[in-house]
Amino acid sequence: MTKITFIGAGSTIFAKNVLGDAMLTESLQTAEIALYDIDEQRLKESALMLKTLNKNCNKNRATIEIYHDRKEALREADFVINAIQVGGYKPSTVIDFEIPKKYGLEQTIGDTLGIGGIFRGLRTIPVMLAFAREMEEVCPDAWLLNYTNPMAILTMAMLRHTKIKTVGLCHSVQVCVPELFEHLGITDDYDLNDFQWKIAGINHMAWLLELTKEGKDFYPTIKALANKKENPHPDAVRFELMKHFGYYVTESSEHNAEYHPYFIKSKYPELIDELAIPLDEYLRRCEKQIIDWEKQRDEIVHNGDLTHTRSSEYASYIMDAIVTGQPTMIAGNVLNHGLITNLPTNCCVEVPCLVDKNGVQPTYVGDLPTQLAALNRTNINVQELTVEAAVNFSREKIYQAALLDPHTNSELSITEIKNLVDDLIEAHGDYLPDYF
């Protein structure tokens, strides 16, 4: 029997997608599902929801159990799904936004890069390293499927500093081309099944390297249509990047606005409206999710008729391929061992991967176009230094990560950045270890 452990199972809607998918996958239908979360109420709600799905969609074939001891939840697991958020919306996410604002530093999402992404990583790495040590003891052969952001930072930390087999999983590759077609207004004009594409780079900044229709390059059509779009529109930042660097990027415009030094500029506030950049977007989303959950709780947790349709999340496909040997392809976040040849060795890259009984096997990409690799490196610098800061308890490395962040250093001086880092360390208090 396959054991699936879900860490952060209080994320009820995400647990529904990932574990609901497992219940609809023949090889996983009799799985033992272990749920763990530090939020007792949300943990109980997720368990109730999953038991309803198990009854309605899976003839009660899965075994679902709540654990209050993380190590016991992990014991003898075959797969561990990570969906934790250390510090939550309050206090930590609010701190990540409000203190930088005092320095005039604005953000949109703050969960991947930038000063918010750095501190989200610093809060999360110690927790993940702790349960990795438990995994090494009680389920050393398990695969860790990491869904938590900052994806590249956390996956890099796990693969460099633990023995746990880890792959980072994100939604942005699956939705890249469908979103592009939607933003261009051509969804109804073309069948996506007629297209072939290739995507590689780093998480949230992977590149649509090729897009062909019946073997012919479709990029000229895409660029011509994009150039006709008038600003503002929801994908203006990505279209601006494509205009100047030649390729479309996987993650949304609100994310990419803060990964680069070009867009959120106090010196040019008109860019915010011109490019429809949603400052403080993640705060609004969190607040809306909190409000909406009161309604969704009844629709999801207390709905005896609840059902599920298999989603596009990679987790169930990965687990099925490893269990059965039936191969599948995913986009995975893995260490760069010669995969993208003009990015640093041992950084975290997002590339096509084959999955079968041998596990997750990344595929060779080669060189990215020079300008794309250069943009990726500006983010990799921050990712590597954040990991080094966390594992060495080094305040100096945090300073360096922040000083090299493209958006932060485009707005603030060296002294301001170091003072900002000190203020954030103090504000996060016990959510961070001591940095020297």
Side-chain angles (χ1 to χ4, degrees):
M1 180 183 296
T2 300
K3 181 176 179 179
I4 305 168
T5 298
F6 198 115
I7 305 295
S11 303
T12 306
I13 295 174
F14 188 61
K16 177 182 184 293
N17 288 338
V18 171
L19 296 176
D21 288 352
M23 293 177 194
L24 296 176
T25 304
E26 184 177 356
S27 65
L28 307 173
Q29 288 175 332
T30 59
E32 176 186 350
I33 296 174
L35 306 176
Y36 175 81
D37 200 288
I38 62 173
D39 186 324
E40 180 72 19
Q41 180 61 33
R42 292 298 297 266
L43 181 60
K44 289 179 179 177
E45 290 170 347
S46 291
L48 178 60
M49 175 273 298
L50 289 167
K51 287 177 180 178
T52 301
L53 281 187
N54 192 31
K55 175 177 176 289
N56 294 343
C57 301
N58 194 31
K59 300 179 182 178
N60 284 321
R61 283 178 285 196
T63 302
I64 300 167
E65 187 172 350
I66 285 176
Y67 286 81
H68 303 290
D69 182 318
R70 185 177 66 193
K71 189 173 180 180
E72 290 308 309
L74 292 167
R75 190 175 297 279
E76 297 182 354
D78 298 289
F79 302 99
V80 177
I81 297 162
N82 179 47
I84 63 174
Q85 183 181 359
V86 179
Y89 169 59
K90 288 184 178 178
S92 293
T93 298
V94 172
I95 289 171
D96 285 342
F97 275 79
E98 294 304 319
I99 290 181
K101 277 186 186 180
K102 295 177 181 178
Y103 287 81
L105 186 64
E106 300 278 6
Q107 299 172 94
T108 53
I109 306 295
D111 73 345
T112 305
L113 207 74
I115 201 69
I118 291 169
F119 274 84
R120 194 180 180 104
L122 293 173
R123 293 193 302 274
T124 311
I125 288 172
V127 177
M128 289 184 61
L129 293 181
F131 73 65
R133 288 191 290 270
E134 294 171 351
M135 289 179 67
E136 287 170 353
E137 180 181 345
V138 301
C139 58
D141 295 324
W143 273 94
L144 176 65
L145 311 183
N146 178 50
Y147 276 99
T148 296
N149 283 322
M151 176 60 64
I153 288 172
L154 300 180
T155 303
M156 187 189 303
M158 294 296 286
L159 288 170
R160 283 190 180 185
H161 297 285
T162 81
K163 298 177 182 178
I164 297 302
K165 296 178 292 188
T166 303
V167 61
L169 305 173
C170 183
H171 325 276
S172 58
V173 172
Q174 294 106 304
V175 302
C176 177
V177 174
E179 279 190 353
L180 172 59
F181 279 38
E182 179 183 348
H183 290 303
L184 289 172
I186 59 173
T187 302
D188 295 332
D189 300 332
Y190 296 98
D191 184 347
L192 286 174
N193 292 320
D194 294 334
F195 290 83
Q196 181 71 31
W197 53 85
K198 178 181 178 181
I199 293 173
I202 62 173
N203 180 241
H204 283 196
M205 200 191 289
W207 306 98
L208 181 60
L209 299 172
E210 299 173 7
L211 179 64
T212 60
K213 181 177 185 292
E214 298 172 349
K216 295 181 180 179
D217 185 8
F218 199 68
Y219 246 124
T221 301
I222 292 299
K223 291 178 179 179
L225 291 169
N227 288 335
K228 292 178 182 178
K229 292 282 288 189
E230 293 185 5
N231 292 336
H233 63 84
D235 215 17
V237 169
R238 281 201 280 187
F239 283 12
E240 194 75 0
L241 288 168
M242 181 167 60
K243 178 180 179 181
H244 296 287
F245 293 98
Y247 294 83
Y248 191 67
V249 67
T250 49
E251 189 48 74
S252 63
S253 282
E254 60 263 28
H255 273 283
N256 268 277
E258 64 184 9
Y259 301 160
H260 303 273
Y262 315 116
F263 303 114
I264 305 175
K265 309 286 289 182
S266 57
K267 187 177 178 181
Y268 301 104
E270 65 274 11
L271 286 175
I272 303 303
D273 293 331
E274 180 184 337
L275 298 176
I277 297 171
L279 298 178
D280 294 336
E281 174 66 15
Y282 191 59
L283 295 178
R284 287 191 295 274
R285 289 183 190 178
C286 290
E287 290 163 0
K288 186 177 187 299
Q289 286 172 355
I290 291 168
I291 294 169
D292 288 350
W293 178 244
E294 296 306 313
K295 179 181 178 182
Q296 290 176 326
R297 179 183 284 113
D298 290 333
E299 294 175 349
I300 295 175
V301 175
H302 303 297
N303 178 4
D305 297 321
L306 186 70
T307 59
H308 181 68
T309 300
R310 196 176 185 188
S311 76
S312 62
E313 296 291 353
Y314 284 133
S316 67
Y317 298 91
I318 292 170
M319 293 187 287
D320 177 63
I322 292 174
V323 168
T324 67
Q326 183 65 36
T328 191
M329 290 293 295
I330 66 161
N333 288 271
V334 297
L335 287 189
N336 188 33
H337 292 155
L339 304 171
I340 299 181
T341 43
N342 54 351
L343 291 183
T345 299
N346 271 348
C347 74
C348 185
V349 292
E350 191 167 64
V351 297
C353 300
L354 169 69
V355 190
D356 59 18
K357 278 188 176 291
N358 294 312
V360 178
Q361 302 152 83
T363 64
Y364 174 82
V365 174
D367 275 1
L368 296 178
T370 303
Q371 72 277 17
L372 304 187
L375 289 172
N376 282 166
R377 290 188 206 110
T378 66
N379 282 223
I380 292 166
N381 296 333
V382 182
Q383 294 161 2
E384 290 190 311
L385 283 162
T386 302
V387 172
E388 289 181 18
V391 298
N392 295 302
F393 306 104
S394 170
R395 187 178 292 243
E396 193 68 22
K397 293 291 185 182
I398 305 176
Y399 291 150
Q400 292 165 357
L403 288 167
L404 286 169
D405 178 70
H407 173 45
T408 303
N409 67 29
S410 73
E411 290 283 272
L412 304 182
S413 69
I414 289 176
T415 299
E416 288 173 322
I417 291 171
K418 294 181 74 172
N419 288 341
L420 171 56
V421 166
D422 289 339
D423 287 352
L424 284 165
I425 290 173
E426 181 178 358
H428 282 297
D430 290 342
Y431 282 107
L432 295 175
D434 292 331
Y435 285 96
F436 305 100

